[in-house]
Amino acid sequence: DAGVTQSPTHLIKTRGQHVTLRCSPISGHKSVSWYQQVLGQGPQFIFQYYEKEERGRGNFPDRFSARQFPNYSSELNVNALLLGDSALYLCASSLSFSGETQYFGPGTRLLVL
Amino acid sequence: GQQLNQSPQSMFIQEGEDVSMNCTSSSIFNTWLWYKQDPGEGPVLLIALYKAGELTSNGRLTAQFGITRKDSFLNISASIPSDVGIYFCAGRRQAGTALIFGKGTTLSVSS
């Protein structure tokens, strides 16, 4: 069975641009969460989506938004990119909203110049 | 953002040695998870703990959910070179809330 997949694997953008990152959860999983991981730190929670609705949001500015589609895949959008947005963006999927166990994808490495 | 207190920050050990690391919080958690992350990859789940006092093994790895519900421990026995990587603890206060991660323990194993 395929695990969590993310695209693209790497991305280079310039300040002020917009970026869209994509995630496909494990088959049968209905919840997707997004995390930002900067170098040397643990992942920081950004959003959780379940059944196409936002169920949780971390301490990130409104430049960050996300959505979940009927097939449970998800997109993370970041507007007006800043240098500090450079990070590994991780998607995690879980069976249900309670999300007792989350499985991570390989991440998208974003570099903002 | 909030992070758990994970220690040690790094460890340099010889192949065959045992390793212990821990994670603490000022808050009570109802779930503890341990992940391993290799460079450029996403975290891979090693062990999940759901009950205070629970002791769970996965091969040479053993993790425990602290009885106070504010800490968790991971032990690796007879380390091998492929154990090299960054180990993260993660906790959840209640169902449906976000996972909170530690800063990681970087493990280096020399043969």
Side-chain angles (χ1 to χ4, degrees):
Chain A
D1 285 344
V4 178
T5 59
Q6 292 186 244
S7 63
T9 56
H10 296 82
L11 206 51
I12 300 175
K13 293 284 189 178
T14 56
R15 281 177 298 175
Q17 284 189 314
H18 161 270
V19 69
T20 297
L21 311 180
R22 296 177 175 84
C23 170
S24 292
I26 293 171
S27 177
H29 285 197
K30 297 182 177 181
S31 180
V32 168
S33 297
W34 287 94
Y35 292 80
Q36 180 195 64
Q37 186 179 23
V38 299
L39 204 60
Q41 301 290 322
Q44 293 284 331
F45 172 73
I46 310 175
F47 287 111
Q48 183 189 17
Y49 274 77
Y50 176 70
E51 291 287 9
K52 303 183 293 294
E53 291 187 6
E54 182 183 306
R55 294 302 188 103
R57 183 182 183 119
N59 189 24
F60 280 81
D62 291 343
R63 299 183 296 107
F64 288 77
S65 64
R67 56 180 176 166
Q68 187 176 32
F69 299 99
N71 66 354
Y72 303 110
S73 67
S74 177
E75 284 183 353
L76 175 70
N77 296 283
V78 187
N79 293 323
L81 285 167
L82 304 175
L83 296 180
D85 294 331
S86 296
L88 181 68
Y89 287 86
L90 295 162
C91 172
S93 80
S94 55
L95 271 171
S96 64
F97 166 66
S98 62
E100 292 303 320
T101 304
Q102 292 190 354
Y103 298 89
F104 284 83
T108 294
R109 174 74 63 186
L110 172 64
L111 178 61
V112 182
L113 301 176
Chain B
Q2 181 181 7
Q3 291 197 314
L4 299 171
N5 301 311
Q6 187 171 349
S7 65
Q9 185 176 359
S10 60
M11 302 183 73
F12 297 87
I13 62 170
Q14 295 276 346
E15 184 176 359
E17 290 185 3
D18 297 343
V19 171
S20 292
M21 59 190 78
N22 68 80
C23 204
T24 61
S25 169
S26 56
S27 305
I28 289 174
F29 284 78
N30 77 348
T31 301
W32 286 96
L33 305 172
W34 285 91
Y35 290 89
K36 178 175 183 275
Q37 186 175 28
D38 292 326
E41 302 289 330
V44 174
L45 181 66
L46 299 174
I47 293 179
L49 304 160
Y50 304 110
K51 289 174 56 176
E54 180 180 357
L55 187 71
T56 298
S57 293
N58 178 8
R60 295 179 295 104
L61 278 62
T62 301
Q64 184 165 23
F65 193 138
I67 198 72
T68 65
R69 297 173 62 192
K70 293 183 178 181
D71 54 12
S72 180
F73 308 87
L74 176 69
N75 296 305
I76 305 173
S77 62
S79 59
I80 59 178
S82 63
D83 291 333
V84 166
I86 304 176
Y87 292 79
F88 287 99
C89 63
R92 178 182 285 111
R93 290 199 183 92
Q94 59 189 43
T97 59
L99 278 180
I100 300 171
F101 281 78
K103 289 188 176 183
T105 294
T106 300
L107 178 64
S108 301
V109 180
S110 60
S111 54

